[in-house]
């Protein structure tokens, strides 16, 4: 861990630090977005072929009986959903691996450390590889289940329960746990346990970010015949919106960790990167 440079010109709050970084490191943020965009190419290709198949399926009268798909059409729909939803799990893992590297870069920015984008990105990927794969798999499997739910006549209450557990618990734990792993060591289950406690104690702090995180996957519900809109929105989000989101979210996470963890157990991390003048 590098020694922090003492500089009274640093911002003295995470909020001020966020706006300072947004102003002065915007070009670096778009570079992070470029890395995320490159790692999402397999996902974008998958969306293209998945949507192309769906357009072909629903435009072919051979697969319909009246206004509904016939048995053969439903079989093709199920096979297509299983195939591309499975492939997307791998795509999400690849994206999360790059996110692990991006989070290290953002951490270095908040710690006021010198950043070498390529070096820090790959170091973050290497150091956080295991956790990135696990979180990517969890997210990918949740999306896999979501894609299958409409194809089965599940009890409505069961469907609501599945959606609720993912949106209210799984996704928030992924968000908080991912940042947690860039700061502290520990098993995956220990990370989830501490992330859950932080989530409960600072729920209102994280709520806006959770809502945004939940909203992003809904891009995938754009009709197949307008898949190009989905692709353009994903490119825009990954290149510009997600890096800014990560910067804001990491700042809030650091503030909560300083209060709940660092103040008691890791004094050397408390307010790291901030001016000593009235840090909070």
């Amino acid at each position: 861990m590098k020694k922090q440079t003492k500089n009274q010109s640093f911002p003295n709050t995470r909020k001020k630090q966020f706006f300072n970084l947004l102003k002065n490191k915007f070009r670096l943020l778009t570079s992070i977005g470029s890395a995320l965009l490159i790692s999402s190419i397999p996902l974008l290709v998958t969306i293209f072929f998945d949507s192309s198949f769906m357009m072909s399926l629903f435009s072919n009268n051979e697969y319909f009986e009246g206004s509904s798909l016939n048995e053969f059409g439903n079989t093709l729909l199920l096979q297509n959903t299983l195939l591309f939803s499975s492939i997307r799990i791998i795509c999400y893992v690849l994206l999360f691996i790059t996110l692990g590297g991006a989070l290290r870069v953002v951490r270095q920015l908040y710690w006021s450390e010198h950043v070498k984008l390529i070096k820090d990105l790959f170091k973050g990927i290497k150091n956080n590889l295991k956790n990135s794969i696990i979180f990517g798999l969890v997210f990918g499997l949740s999306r896999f289940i979501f894609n299958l739910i409409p194809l089965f006549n599940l009890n409505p209450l069961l469907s609501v329960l599945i959606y609720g557990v993912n949106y209210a618990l799984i996704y928030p734990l992924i968000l908080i746990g991912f940042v947690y792993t860039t700061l502290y060591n520990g098993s995956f289950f220990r990370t989830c346990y501490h992330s859950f406690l932080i989530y409960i104690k600072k729920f209102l702090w994280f709520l806006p970010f959770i809502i945004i995180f939940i909203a992003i996957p809904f891009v995938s519900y754009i009709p197949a015949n307008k898949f190009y809109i989905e692709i353009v929105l994903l490119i825009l989000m990954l290149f510009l919106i997600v890096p800014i989101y990560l910067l804001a979210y990491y700042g809030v996470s650091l503030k909560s960790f300083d209060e709940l963890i660092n103040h008691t157990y890791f004094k050397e991390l408390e307010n790291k990167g901030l001016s000593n003048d009235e840090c909070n």
Side-chain angles (χ1 to χ4, degrees):
M1 189 177 295
K2 295 182 180 179
K3 187 176 180 180
Q4 180 184 351
T5 304
K6 293 183 178 179
N7 189 334
Q8 295 303 314
S9 66
F10 291 162
N12 62 354
T13 68
R14 296 299 181 192
K15 181 178 180 180
K16 292 178 181 178
Q17 194 176 28
F18 164 75
F19 286 106
N20 183 63
L21 291 172
L22 185 60
K23 176 183 177 181
N24 297 314
K25 299 294 183 179
F26 186 79
R27 188 172 180 178
L28 180 60
L29 292 175
T30 58
S31 297
I32 293 174
S34 298
L36 294 174
L37 192 55
I38 291 171
S39 68
S40 71
I41 289 176
L43 177 62
L44 297 175
V45 171
T46 301
I47 291 172
F48 173 80
F49 283 107
D50 184 14
S51 299
S52 298
F53 176 85
M54 296 293 282
M55 289 173 60
S56 174
L57 176 65
F58 284 98
S59 63
N60 193 330
N61 293 329
E62 179 184 349
Y63 304 126
F64 280 84
E65 287 182 2
S67 59
S68 301
L69 287 172
N70 57 30
E71 183 177 352
F72 184 56
N74 278 314
T75 300
L76 289 177
L77 177 61
L78 177 59
Q79 290 175 344
N80 178 77
T81 303
L82 287 171
L83 174 62
F84 285 105
S85 295
S86 299
I87 294 174
R88 286 191 191 193
I89 293 175
I90 301 173
C91 296
Y92 287 129
V93 170
L94 292 174
L95 181 57
F96 269 68
I97 287 173
T98 306
L99 276 171
L103 286 174
R104 174 187 165 81
V105 176
V106 174
R107 185 196 72 182
Q108 297 300 91
L109 289 175
Y110 271 108
W111 281 358
S112 299
E113 302 276 6
H114 178 66
V115 173
K116 293 183 178 180
L117 178 63
I118 302 300
K119 179 180 178 181
D120 284 307
L121 184 68
F122 279 98
K123 189 170 184 178
I125 289 174
K126 178 182 177 182
N127 293 345
N128 216 28
L129 182 61
K130 178 181 177 181
N131 292 308
S132 299
I133 292 174
I134 293 174
F135 285 125
L137 284 173
V138 172
F139 182 79
L141 286 171
S142 75
R143 300 307 307 166
F144 179 87
I145 293 172
F146 282 8
N147 290 337
L148 290 182
I149 286 178
L151 302 182
F152 296 94
N153 294 319
L154 294 181
N155 184 298
L157 290 178
L158 179 58
S159 298
V160 170
L161 179 62
I162 293 173
Y163 285 123
V165 169
N166 276 275
Y167 289 139
L169 183 62
I170 304 300
Y171 287 175
L173 291 186
I174 290 175
L175 269 176
I176 299 172
F178 214 173
V179 175
Y180 181 96
T181 59
T182 65
L183 297 168
Y184 314 107
N185 295 320
S187 68
F188 176 74
F189 293 103
R190 183 179 180 85
T191 297
C192 290
Y193 172 70
H194 286 163
S195 299
F196 176 74
L197 295 180
I198 294 168
Y199 172 49
I200 296 300
K201 292 180 180 180
K202 296 297 181 182
F203 174 75
L204 292 179
W205 286 18
F206 290 107
L207 183 59
F209 297 97
I210 293 169
I211 292 173
I212 295 173
F213 187 76
I214 289 173
I216 290 175
F218 279 93
V219 173
S220 63
Y221 292 109
I222 292 175
N225 63 345
K226 296 182 179 180
F227 68 91
Y228 56 89
I229 297 178
E230 178 183 356
I231 292 177
V232 170
L233 287 176
L234 284 174
I235 291 174
L236 178 63
M237 286 191 295
L238 289 166
F239 179 69
L240 185 61
I241 298 175
V242 172
I244 297 174
Y245 176 91
L246 290 178
L247 185 68
Y249 178 73
Y250 206 101
V252 170
S253 298
L254 284 179
K255 184 174 175 62
S256 66
F257 294 165
D258 281 344
E259 182 178 319
L260 298 175
I261 301 175
N262 297 337
H263 182 71
T264 303
Y265 301 105
F266 299 98
K267 284 289 187 179
E268 71 278 11
L269 296 181
E270 185 179 12
N271 296 320
K272 185 171 182 179
L274 296 176
S275 165
N276 293 326
D277 181 24
E278 297 181 1
C279 289
N280 57 68

